[in-house]
Amino acid sequence: MIEIPSDLNPDLVPLAFLLGTWEGAGVSDFPGAEKCNFGQSVTFSHDGRDFLEYVSHSWVLDTEGNKVRPLESEAGYWRIDKDRKVEVTMVRDQGIVEVWYGELADQKPQIDLATDAVARTAASGPYSGGKRLYGYVKSDLMWVGEKATPEVSLRPYMSAHLKKVVTPEEVADMARSLGDLPDDGIAFFK
């Protein structure tokens, strides 16, 4: 279920499905880089202004699903206009800054993005642009990223399936919203 916080900037209501902390796993595979399974934690938050703050951390997983080492971190800001056009500014730990543009699909919580501008530091690896698709599917957040370098044409390189993390405070709020339940717990189901 998608909840819209009462203090969310009204312009951001179409992006409310992204709000919260999401965790899960995915696969990374790109020529010249290690192919691996990874874990990921993504948080979309807001402070009442006209953007969502985005933070993502991922790490390499071993065959048992244990954290091995950091893989990639990125942070940025997401905005949407009245025509459902989405813009994202993002900085990555590899020394890359990006501007992404795209749009929210009609009648479904899905966002297609493509890079419009890329700036790299001297220490960053080769990178010339990318595409991303984010979708809210059966209460989960899924995404796939494509990447291009001067040597490699645009191709998928990472994807993940993330589940929303529920905090203890959210559990308590849910319990309070249930109201009065029968003491035995069984009568509720009769």
Side-chain angles (χ1 to χ4, degrees), residues 16-94:
F17 71 94
L18 294 170
L19 287 170
T21 297
W22 304 84
E23 293 182 352
V27 177
S28 178
D29 182 13
F30 194 77
E34 172 189 15
K35 180 178 179 177
C36 67
N37 292 328
F38 67 90
Q40 184 177 29
S41 178
V42 172
T43 300
F44 286 93
S45 60
H46 72 95
D47 64 6
R49 291 183 281 175
D50 68 341
F51 59 83
L52 296 183
E53 184 175 1
Y54 163 81
V55 178
S56 170
H57 296 282
S58 60
W59 51 89
V60 174
L61 297 175
D62 64 18
T63 55
E64 287 81 43
N66 299 308
K67 289 183 182 181
V68 175
R69 67 181 174 284
L71 178 63
E72 193 173 280
S73 296
E74 52 191 33
Y77 301 93
W78 293 53
R79 288 180 168 84
I80 187 167
D81 70 14
K82 62 180 175 34
D83 297 320
R84 303 171 67 85
K85 303 294 184 207
V86 178
E87 65 178 40
V88 178
T89 55
M90 191 179 306
V91 61
R92 297 200 211 187
D93 63 349
Q94 299 124 351

Side-chain angles (χ1 to χ4, degrees), residues 6-178:
S6 60
D7 60 341
L8 183 67
N9 184 301
D11 295 342
L12 297 174
V13 169
L15 298 180
F17 71 94
L18 294 170
L19 287 170
T21 297
W22 304 84
E23 293 182 352
V27 177
S28 178
D29 182 13
F30 194 77
E34 172 189 15
K35 180 178 179 177
C36 67
N37 292 328
F38 67 90
Q40 184 177 29
S41 178
V42 172
T43 300
F44 286 93
S45 60
H46 72 95
D47 64 6
R49 291 183 281 175
D50 68 341
F51 59 83
L52 296 183
E53 184 175 1
Y54 163 81
V55 178
S56 170
H57 296 282
S58 60
W59 51 89
V60 174
L61 297 175
D62 64 18
T63 55
E64 287 81 43
N66 299 308
K67 289 183 182 181
V68 175
R69 67 181 174 284
L71 178 63
E72 193 173 280
S73 296
E74 52 191 33
Y77 301 93
W78 293 53
R79 288 180 168 84
I80 187 167
D81 70 14
K82 62 180 175 34
D83 297 320
R84 303 171 67 85
K85 303 294 184 207
V86 178
E87 65 178 40
V88 178
T89 55
M90 191 179 306
V91 61
R92 297 200 211 187
D93 63 349
Q94 299 124 351
I96 298 170
V97 177
E98 300 159 299
V99 175
W100 298 78
Y101 287 106
E103 64 184 304
L104 179 63
D106 192 32
Q107 303 294 319
K108 60 184 171 180
Q110 176 181 309
I111 301 170
D112 284 293
L113 296 170
T115 52
D116 180 66
V118 174
R120 300 181 310 115
T121 64
S124 72
Y127 175 69
S128 52
K131 286 184 159 187
R132 291 198 186 173
L133 173 64
Y134 291 83
Y136 183 77
V137 181
K138 297 183 180 177
S139 300
D140 294 345
L141 183 63
M142 298 179 174
W143 70 271
V144 61
E146 297 180 54
K147 175 174 152 177
T149 69
E151 300 81 25
V152 180
S153 298
L154 188 67
R155 68 173 297 261
Y157 82 105
M158 286 180 99
S159 63
H161 183 158
L162 310 173
K163 298 204 172 281
K164 193 159 195 179
V165 175
V166 181
T167 66
E169 294 81 19
E170 290 170 318
V171 171
D173 288 344
M174 284 187 267
R176 281 191 291 277
S177 71
L178 291 175

